[in-house]
Amino acid sequence: EDQVTQSPEALRLQEGESSSLNCSYTVSGLRGLFWYRQDPGKGPEFLFTLYSAGEEKEKERLKATLTKKESFLHITAPKPEDSATYLCAVRGNAGKSTFGDGTTLTVKP
Amino acid sequence: ETGVTQTPRHLVMGMTNKKSLKCEQHLGHNAMYWYKQSAKKPLELMFVYNFKEQTENNSVPSRFSPECPNSSHLFLHLHTLQPEDSALYLCASSQDRAHKGEAFFGQGTRLTVV
């Protein structure tokens, strides 16, 4: 059974304080690892898809990386508007997406 | 505008009511999904439709009844719900079930059962 574990559960940062969120996974035949951002009361907003170990993608202050066992979402010099819950999901050979519990990020000004 | 639109955004219903949630996608996708998101829990996949055919039902109680009349529309019919069914119900779509690509989500319907 595919599994996704995200850590930490919650992260509080000062504005400008860089950090990383972790997503550890086990999956039968990785077809994609996905990062989403979710604001309270709203649907998840797609950020990145990674397909193979060594792959990296960037968008503004966010950078996602992938190894065979985990993915990191690096946040550089975060701003208060980056506060949200970040979700990680994997899709395996069965075509089913499995989501983690998410990391709730709070960035204080 | 995410390309996936859900209505209503909020719904309060009694346990004896019948209501329906609607989802429409404008992305040309062939797979559509219903997820349930409860507080402090990960997203739970409920149903999957691929090319209008239901391909997955994750042991969802029969008081939830999905309908997919075409690849662009998805409904979730609700009847005799319980208070524990209160949650955010999310619709998503993707290119197709087996495709590598990401899923895009709607803004959700916040359901409260009283």
Side-chain angles (χ1 to χ4, degrees), chain A residues 5 8 17 19 22 37 43 45 49 52 60-62 80 89 91 93 102:
Chain A
T5 302
E17 180 187 1
S19 188
N22 178 264
R37 169 192 170 128
E45 175 189 346
T49 305
S52 57
E60 296 180 352
R61 295 177 292 282
L62 301 177
R91 182 179 300 157
N93 281 334

Side-chain angles (χ1 to χ4, degrees), chain B:
Chain B
E1 172 59 53
T2 65
V4 180
T5 304
Q6 290 187 242
T7 55
R9 290 295 310 279
H10 302 274
L11 178 62
V12 179
M13 60 185 289
M15 290 189 285
T16 59
N17 291 159
K18 290 185 179 181
K19 296 287 184 182
S20 296
L21 309 185
K22 179 182 176 182
C23 176
E24 182 175 2
Q25 58 97 358
H26 314 277
L27 301 169
H29 289 164
N30 295 302
M32 296 188 77
Y33 312 79
W34 279 117
Y35 284 88
K36 175 183 179 182
Q37 189 174 39
S38 304
K40 304 296 183 184
K41 289 186 177 181
L43 282 165
E44 300 174 52
L45 180 63
M46 300 174 70
F47 301 103
V48 181
Y49 278 82
N50 199 36
F51 294 91
K52 301 190 299 179
E53 298 296 321
Q54 187 179 134
T55 58
E56 198 162 335
N57 175 339
N58 282 330
S59 303
V60 180
S62 60
R63 56 186 184 271
F64 294 91
S65 175
E67 178 190 1
C68 187
N70 55 61
S71 292
S72 298
H73 294 85
L74 185 65
F75 295 90
L76 187 62
H77 305 298
L78 315 171
H79 65 97
T80 59
L81 294 191
Q82 304 298 312
E84 59 264 29
D85 296 322
S86 299
L88 182 67
Y89 288 85
L90 292 161
C91 173
S93 71
S94 67
Q95 187 63 44
D96 61 56
R97 192 72 177 96
H99 194 261
K100 284 185 175 181
E102 58 275 1
F104 291 89
F105 286 82
Q107 296 289 24
T109 295
R110 172 65 63 185
L111 173 67
T112 304
V113 181
V114 297

